[in-house]
Amino acid sequence: MSPAAGRLKFDLPAHLEAGSPAEARGTTRDAVRMMVAYRGDQRLVHSTFALIATFLEPDDLLVINTSATLPAALAGVDAGSGRAVVVHLSTLLDGDSWVVEPRVPSGGASRRWPADAGPPPARILLGEDGASLELEGPYRGSDRLWVGRLRLPRPTRSWLAVHGAPIRYGYVERPFPLSAYQNVYATEPGSAEMPSAGRPFTPDLLTRLVAKGVGITPLVLHTGVASLEADELPYPERVRVPPSTARRVNAARRHGGRVVAVGTTTVRALETAFDPVAGRVGAFDGWTDLVVTPDRGVAVVDGLLTGWHEPEASHLLMLEAIAGRSLLETSYAASLAGGYLWHEFGDVHLILP
C-alpha cells in the first residue's frame, strides 16, 4: 500500500497545533484532554488523561516504550560555503554511522531541504571543536534522509549533551529543555524524537494504575525522525522486546486481559515480535521494517493510546488497522470540532475494543 492510500482527508488549523508543553501552559502533564473511542459500539467519551485508570480494568496490560529522547538537532555549517545547516540525527546504524536529515534553518527551528537547492553539502562542520559530519549517500533511496558519518572529539552521548538540542519543528513556539521531551519512565537514550504518547504519564498516575491491578511492562523501540512534511512509510528502526515482556503479553492474552499499547512505536514492536505460527509474542532483539496497515491488521494489540496525527502521517494506516475506518473518521471529526490539540505536546486518543 502506498503512503497516501486511503488516507484521511482533513485540514489541521494552526491554532490546534500545541506550541508548548502542558506545564508551560500552566497545567500538569496528565491534565491534557483524552478522547476514548470504543470500537465495539463506536462510542466516544471526552475526558482527561488523569482519569485513564477509570477506562482500564484489572488484568489489562499497558506496554510502554522506555526509549529516551536524544538531543538530536545539531547546528552546523557547510564546510565549503559556510552556509548554515541544521542536521537531525535519526537512527544509529553502527559505530559512528547514522541516518540523518540535513535541513535549512528557519526562524528558531528548521525546514526540509529544498528540492531545488541541489544535494546537501558533503561535509558539515559541527561546532568549533573539530566535530563534523560526512554525508556518504542517500538512505534507501530517500530524497530527504542520508547516511552520514559523525567525526566527534569525544564519545557521542557526552558530545551531544553539550552541543545537541531536542528536535524542534516550526509550530513549537520557543526552545524547551530536553526534559520536556522525555517520558517519565524513559531509561535508554536512542530516539530522535520523543515516543510522545506516553508523555502525559506522571509517577503518581503510574502508581494509581498499578494499585488498581493494571499491569505495565516495557520494551524499547528507538524512533527515527518523522518529518511532518514527508509523505512516506516508516523505515527500519531498532527494537528490543524482553523475554519478560513477551511472557506478560502472552499471559494477558490467555487470561482475557486487554493489551493496550502506549504509542504507535509500541504497536510496531509488539507486532514485529509476534510469531504467527506459534500464535504468541516472543523475545526480539533486532531491526523492524514492519508497516502495520488495515490490510495486514494487528495480531497482538487490543487497544492503543496515541496522539493526533496529521493527514499525511503514515501512522493513520496503523490506527485504521486497530480502530477501523468508521471509528477513525468519527474520532478525527470530533477531535477537530472539539478543539483537541495536536503534536507531541498535545492531547491524546485512547482506542479500546
Side-chain angles (χ1 to χ4, degrees), residues 115-324:
D116 59 0
R123 187 165 184 261
I124 300 168
L125 304 181
L126 304 171
E128 299 178 353
D129 58 359
S132 66
L133 173 72
E134 297 174 6
L135 297 185
E136 298 180 342
Y139 177 66
R140 297 170 67 95
S142 174
D143 61 357
R144 74 178 179 102
L145 300 176
W146 291 70
V147 176
R149 194 165 297 277
L150 276 179
R151 306 294 189 187
L152 303 179
R154 57 182 182 274
T156 302
R157 285 189 188 173
S158 61
W159 188 90
L160 288 177
V162 175
H163 297 277
I167 288 177
R168 173 190 170 200
Y169 291 111
Y171 56 82
V172 177
E173 61 190 26
R174 60 184 174 85
F176 291 97
L178 185 62
S179 59
Y181 293 85
Q182 299 289 15
N183 295 322
V184 297
Y185 49 69
T187 58
E188 183 176 324
S191 283
E193 297 180 16
M194 174 175 54
S196 57
R199 192 183 191 280
F201 283 100
T202 64
D204 177 67
L205 184 50
L206 290 168
T207 300
R208 283 187 277 131
L209 286 166
V210 171
K212 183 173 181 176
V214 176
I216 301 173
T217 193
L219 53 74
V220 173
L221 184 146
H222 293 314
T223 68
V225 293
S227 176
L228 302 178
E229 303 93 331
D231 183 15
E232 59 193 20
L233 292 173
Y235 52 89
E237 293 170 313
R238 193 76 170 80
V239 176
R240 188 174 68 256
V241 178
S244 58
T245 290
R247 288 193 296 269
R248 294 190 70 183
V249 169
N250 293 328
R253 297 176 71 227
R254 281 197 308 271
H255 298 126
R258 297 176 298 184
V259 177
V260 179
V262 177
T264 57
T265 60
T266 300
V267 177
R268 194 181 198 197
L270 287 175
E271 295 294 323
T272 295
F274 180 73
D275 181 345
V277 176
R280 60 181 177 80
V281 173
F284 183 88
D285 190 347
W287 292 84
T288 179
D289 59 1
L290 176 66
V291 179
V292 177
T293 67
D295 290 340
R296 180 198 181 275
V298 290
V300 181
V301 172
D302 300 300
L304 170 64
L305 176 70
T306 186
W308 297 96
H309 302 283
E310 298 74 18
E312 67 270 23
S314 62
H315 297 94
L316 290 172
L317 297 171
M318 180 187 292
L319 266 63
E320 185 176 341
I322 297 169

Side-chain angles (χ1 to χ4, degrees), residues 37-41 43 258 260 302-304 322 351-353:
Y38 291 92
R39 181 166 182 165
D41 59 9
R43 179 166 46 105
R258 297 176 298 184
V260 179
D302 300 300
L304 170 64
I322 297 169
I351 301 168
L352 292 174

Side-chain angles (χ1 to χ4, degrees), residues 48-64:
T48 63
F49 187 77
L51 298 178
I52 189 174
T54 64
F55 299 96
L56 299 174
E57 302 293 339
D59 298 328
D60 284 346
L61 182 65
L62 287 175
V63 187
I64 59 175

Side-chain angles (χ1 to χ4, degrees), residues 17-41:
E17 297 186 295
S20 59
E23 306 91 295
R25 304 196 297 266
T27 183
T28 58
R29 284 188 177 221
D30 62 358
V32 297
R33 298 173 67 193
M34 178 177 69
M35 183 191 299
V36 185
Y38 291 92
R39 181 166 182 165
D41 59 9

